[in-house]
Amino acid sequence: MKLILLGAPGAGKGTQAEILSKKLGAPTISTGNILRAAVKNGTPVGLKAKSYMDAGALVPDDVIIGVMRERFAEPDCANGYILDGMPRTIAQAEALEAGGIDVDCALSIEISDDEIVARMSGRRTCPECSTTYHIVSAPPKTDGTCDKCGASLTIRHDDEPETVKNRLRVYHEETEPLIAFYAARGKHKSVRNQPSIEATTAVIADALGL
């Protein structure tokens, strides 16, 4: 299955993508993780993207598409993939189509802006391996410490309230139109965010017929 997950920043796309990856045996391709790794490593694309990410703005399409084309060429994508954070704009979606990159379904997780702001204020991220936690819904085993690599967890700049509000504004202007884009192609499905990760997983599985 070739799947796109849509939804506002903080809607739970990354968490659900990881769960679906195990269910489907397909890799999750997260532009956020790829770009953050590039920023950390000081690569040319990382330096180019850093100023946009720090401001909570969208990274330009040419940077995103270049990174993703390389990723799609890897062998583990041959039997399907889950896109998390890509495409973010109509132009990116059109670029994927023009590049012969097809998807079976674009599934959106619906959640209110107020819920997003409250949720993201509790998010913690590992600066070493990019694993994300939440102090209420998905806490680490040891407070403030990454389960996977033992690094100290941090609050990312783009999880701070004012940055979140800016990211939501950008989402509604630039990314939300993708729902209509894929609906017109008969490829859109929608689910409501649920009170728990497990409940959200259940409604997604039902929507996808898993």
Side-chain angles (χ1 to χ4, degrees):
M1 179 179 286
K2 297 175 181 178
L3 177 67
I4 293 173
L5 290 183
L6 299 174
K13 299 185 298 298
T15 298
Q16 296 300 328
E18 185 175 345
I19 294 169
L20 285 168
S21 178
K22 294 175 183 176
K23 281 180 175 286
L24 299 170
T28 296
I29 300 174
S30 169
T31 54
N33 286 346
I34 292 172
L35 287 171
R36 279 191 288 275
V39 169
K40 180 184 172 186
N41 295 330
T43 66
V45 70
L47 295 173
K48 191 173 182 180
K50 187 175 187 302
S51 62
Y52 296 94
M53 294 171 70
D54 285 348
L58 294 178
V59 177
D61 291 348
D62 61 332
V63 178
I64 297 288
I65 296 296
V67 172
M68 299 312 293
R69 277 208 184 102
E70 293 180 353
R71 183 65 183 88
F72 289 137
E74 295 182 18
D76 64 339
C77 290
N79 296 318
Y81 43 77
I82 302 164
L83 297 184
D84 170 22
M86 169 71 180
R88 289 183 185 273
T89 64
I90 297 293
Q92 286 180 355
E94 291 173 341
L96 290 178
E97 286 188 347
I101 300 165
D102 194 20
V103 298
D104 299 311
C105 177
L107 185 140
S108 60
I109 302 173
E110 305 297 335
I111 183 171
S112 73
D113 286 4
D114 288 344
E115 288 176 281
I116 289 291
V117 173
R119 173 181 290 186
M120 293 182 75
S121 66
R123 192 152 77 170
R124 302 292 183 269
T125 303
C126 177
E128 297 299 323
C129 68
S130 298
T131 301
T132 300
Y133 301 89
H134 192 279
I135 58 175
V136 175
S137 61
K141 294 175 183 176
T142 302
D143 188 35
T145 302
C146 179
D147 294 344
K148 294 184 178 180
C149 69
S152 296
L153 302 178
T154 61
I155 300 175
R156 286 167 36 202
H157 171 67
D158 55 3
D159 287 339
E160 294 173 357
E162 285 308 309
T163 308
V164 170
K165 290 175 183 177
N166 183 54
R167 293 176 69 200
L168 285 169
R169 178 187 58 77
V170 172
Y171 167 76
H172 291 306
E173 291 177 0
E174 302 287 344
T175 306
E176 201 168 38
L178 285 168
I179 291 175
F181 179 89
Y182 285 109
R185 287 156 174 75
K187 295 182 176 182
H188 174 251
K189 294 181 184 294
S190 174
V191 299
R192 284 293 308 170
N193 175 68
Q194 302 297 310
S196 70
I197 291 172
E198 293 77 13
T200 301
T201 299
V203 295
I204 288 174
D206 184 60
L208 295 176
L210 300 179

